[in-house]
């Protein structure tokens, strides 16, 4: 057999692959990092509007979706948001907390990519980009990767090619094809952190395109209190992106339009302002207030309406059911829910239980974070776990 060129080949130079390669390289491993894109870390560069929301100080396992909610605990505990922040600080990258624990660069996401490249350089990682990975085979304990016209051999292979969200940026389902090739299961991938589309009875709400308001959005047992935004296709905004990860086709998404209003506020409004109309007492953007009042079909002055009718209206405003007919799909999804089954991987090392030397990290794995820096934290933590184990 040909002598291996490297100790490990990492496929995918995104957030998880760069971290994994840097950690393994700095531990003295000979690392080859391959990517089909011309440039490393493309999603990092566009993330957070170009400022990269690189972690969240409130990271905890309950902010991640997975068929096994315990899987992420080990890696997240061993490489925390404070660890990544220490690295960012060591490079003197100025940053700020925007909201809800979300840390962003003051300057540019380019600083995060430059930092990771510097970390890779410290580990003498060999980075090659801009060629397709043609085939991956495994024989006699070695992985052979054909990249462009060249073959590379190593006893370890890390799948870090992410999920299929935003294909126009070079995202692919390659990780899943590879996983299946090696007998690993893939939990059905779905677009997540994605706008929802409205049709049928809800279609009129699309006329409110551009209107935003703070709400509480719910799907099943999940609830998020943030802004919702009406779009020309349906619903978006942080509350909706968050709930989209939990939403399943056929289920409603309910919206509390006045999450801070105390119970009975509408009957109280009737007693205080009997001549007011329903639309005028809704503390919401005018167009939205009018649309909701029209839908509730309670015209005229509040004083003329029964308390029962007002209680019903109040209940509906706090649990307004929308019936999304879909999402805007992988083209618009920030991440993918599902992926390589955690049942097939070690939560300590990220290695496949049935294929020694094969690892999977980052978004390729069935672990998906909430909006707000959690997905990068998973990429860093899982990349770090594998990098330490290699
Ligand atoms: P990632 O997608 O980063 O990297 C995969 C790499 O594999 C890419 O370089 C790709 O080119 C390569 N690849 C794919 N297929 C290949 C193939 N067949 N052969 C060779 N190479 C291949 N998260 C967050 O925490 N904070 C944020 O601010 C944002 N913002 C954000 C904005 C937008 C617009 C998107 C689309 C996503 C985000 N995210 C985010 C999510 C975050 O970008 C995502 O979770 C991580 O990039 C996942 O890191 P990975 O390394 O797993 O995959």
């Amino acid at each position: 057999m040909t002598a291996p060129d490297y100790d490990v080949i990492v496929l995918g130079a995104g957030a998880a692959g760069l971290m994994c390669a840097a950690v393994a390289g700095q531990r003295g491993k000979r690392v080859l990092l391959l990517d089909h894109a011309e440039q490393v870390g493309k999603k990092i560069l566009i993330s957070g509007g170009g400022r990269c929301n690189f972690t969240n100080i409130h990271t905890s396992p309950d902010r991640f979706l997975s068929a096994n909610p315990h899987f992420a605990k080990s890696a997240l505990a061993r490489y925390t948001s404070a660890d990544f922040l220490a690295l960012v600080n060591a490079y003197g990258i100025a940053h700020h907390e925007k909201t809800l624990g979300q840390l962003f660069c003051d300057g540019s996401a380019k600083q995060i990519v430059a930092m990771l490249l510097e970390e890779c350089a410290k580990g003498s990682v060999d980075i090659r980009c801009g060629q397709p990975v043609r085939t991956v085979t495994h024989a006699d304990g070695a992985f052979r990767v054909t990249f462009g016209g060249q073959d590379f051999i190593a006893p370890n292979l890390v799948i870090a090619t992410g999920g299929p969200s935003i294909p126009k940026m070079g995202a692919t389902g390659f990780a899943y094809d590879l996983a299946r090739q090696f007998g690993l299961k893939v939990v059905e991938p779905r677009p997540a952190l994605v706008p929802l589309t409205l049709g049928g009875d809800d279609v009129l709400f699309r006329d409110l395109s551009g209107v935003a308001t703070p709400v509480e959005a719910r799907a099943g047992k999940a609830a998020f209190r943030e802004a919702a935004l009406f779009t020309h296709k349906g619903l978006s905004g942080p509350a909706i992106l968050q709930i989209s990860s939990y939403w399943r086709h056929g289920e409603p998404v309910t919206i509390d339009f006045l999450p801070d209003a105390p119970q009975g506020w509408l009957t109280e409004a009737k007693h205080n302002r009997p001549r007011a109309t329903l639309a005028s007492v809704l503390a919401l953007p005018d167009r939205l207030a009018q649309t909701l009042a029209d839908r509730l079909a309670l015209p005229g002055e509040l004083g003329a309406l029964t308390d029962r009718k007002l209680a019903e209206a109040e209940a509906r405003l706090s649990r307004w059911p929308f019936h999304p007919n879909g999402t805007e799909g992988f083209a618009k999804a920030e991440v993918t829910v599902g992926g390589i089954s955690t049942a097939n991987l070690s939560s300590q090392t990220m290695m496949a239980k049935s294929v020694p030397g094969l690892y999977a990290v980052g978004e390729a794995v069935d672990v998906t974070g909430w909006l707000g820096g959690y997905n990068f934290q998973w990429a860093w933590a899982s990349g770090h776990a594998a990098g330490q184990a290699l």
Side-chain angles (χ1 to χ4, degrees):
M1 194 190 89
T2 325
D5 309 298
Y6 296 93
D7 296 314
V8 52
I9 299 172
V10 180
L11 294 180
L18 284 163
M19 174 60 89
C20 179
V23 171
Q26 290 182 24
R27 290 180 54 248
K29 302 291 169 186
R30 292 170 302 153
V31 183
L32 174 66
L33 178 57
L34 300 176
D35 202 297
H36 69 168
E38 293 292 340
Q39 204 182 7
V40 306
K42 279 171 81 176
K43 278 195 184 165
I44 302 175
L45 292 172
I46 58 150
S47 68
R51 290 221 160 92
C52 186
N53 175 194
F54 54 80
T55 192
N56 193 299
I57 56 176
H58 302 311
T59 298
S60 70
D62 63 352
R63 278 134 203 248
F64 294 83
L65 292 82
S66 172
N68 175 3
H70 302 293
F71 181 82
K73 285 182 179 170
S74 171
L76 290 171
R78 285 178 296 133
Y79 192 81
T80 64
S81 58
D83 291 323
F84 192 75
L85 188 55
L87 186 63
V88 166
N89 285 332
Y91 277 78
I93 300 173
H95 55 83
H96 61 279
E97 181 184 340
K98 196 168 169 190
T99 175
L100 303 170
Q102 302 167 6
L103 299 189
F104 284 75
C105 298
D106 289 355
S108 159
K110 287 181 192 159
Q111 295 170 285
I112 299 292
V113 173
M115 175 186 84
L116 292 166
L117 283 173
E118 182 62 34
E119 286 292 295
C120 283
K122 282 186 193 164
S124 304
V125 176
D126 184 357
I127 303 179
R128 303 190 188 201
C129 293
Q131 299 283 336
V133 174
R134 295 196 192 282
T135 53
V136 177
T137 55
H138 186 221
D140 304 326
F143 295 89
R144 180 187 291 265
V145 176
T146 309
F147 182 68
Q150 255 185 297
D151 276 5
F152 297 100
I153 297 169
N156 297 291
L157 181 77
V158 181
I159 304 174
T161 51
S165 298
I166 322 252
K168 74 167 192 254
M169 297 203 52
T172 66
F174 186 61
Y176 311 148
D177 300 340
L178 266 185
R180 290 191 187 103
Q181 179 187 330
F182 288 104
L184 310 187
K185 289 207 167 63
V186 174
V187 175
E188 184 207 351
R190 289 183 289 124
L193 300 182
V194 64
L196 299 173
T197 54
L198 295 177
D201 255 10
D202 294 329
V203 84
L204 284 178
F205 281 94
R206 302 194 328 201
D207 292 346
L208 294 173
S209 178
V211 172
T213 189
V215 301
E216 183 170 285
R218 299 188 202 108
K221 288 182 184 153
F224 290 93
R225 195 185 268 223
E226 281 189 73
L229 168 73
F230 291 92
T231 71
H232 66 289
K233 289 192 177 164
L235 290 165
S236 187
I240 300 302
L241 298 181
Q242 296 278 33
I243 214 68
S244 73
S245 302
Y246 291 85
W247 176 75
R248 295 284 188 158
H249 270 273
E251 287 177 2
V253 167
T254 56
I255 302 266
D256 184 346
F257 281 108
L258 296 161
D260 292 318
Q263 212 185 347
W265 71 272
L266 197 46
T267 31
E268 202 178 313
K270 164 180 155 175
H271 295 300
N272 295 339
R273 297 170 60 196
R275 319 253 352 230
T277 61
L278 177 58
S280 71
V281 297
L282 293 177
L284 291 168
D286 290 349
R287 281 162 65 205
L288 174 59
Q290 195 55 58
T291 302
L292 293 173
D294 290 350
R295 288 243 159 170
L296 288 165
L298 295 177
E301 297 174 355
L302 289 180
L305 299 169
T306 64
D307 284 3
R308 191 172 66 79
K309 282 236 175 286
L310 290 174
E312 282 168 10
E314 187 182 310
R316 189 158 158 90
L317 287 163
S318 66
R319 284 191 298 276
W320 196 281
F322 286 94
H323 299 279
N325 59 6
T327 74
E328 290 196 32
F330 284 116
K332 291 285 162 65
E334 222 168 84
V335 287
T336 307
V337 159
I340 300 173
S341 172
T342 57
N344 297 145
L345 303 174
S346 154
S347 61
Q348 303 288 314
T349 63
M350 311 303 294
M351 191 172 83
K353 292 173 183 167
S354 56
V355 189
L358 180 68
Y359 295 74
V361 295
E363 196 179 322
V365 178
D366 173 32
V367 173
T368 309
W370 287 2
L371 186 75
Y374 297 102
N375 285 295
F376 278 137
Q377 188 55 39
W378 169 245
W380 316 136
S382 57
H384 192 271
Q388 289 235 299
L390 279 158

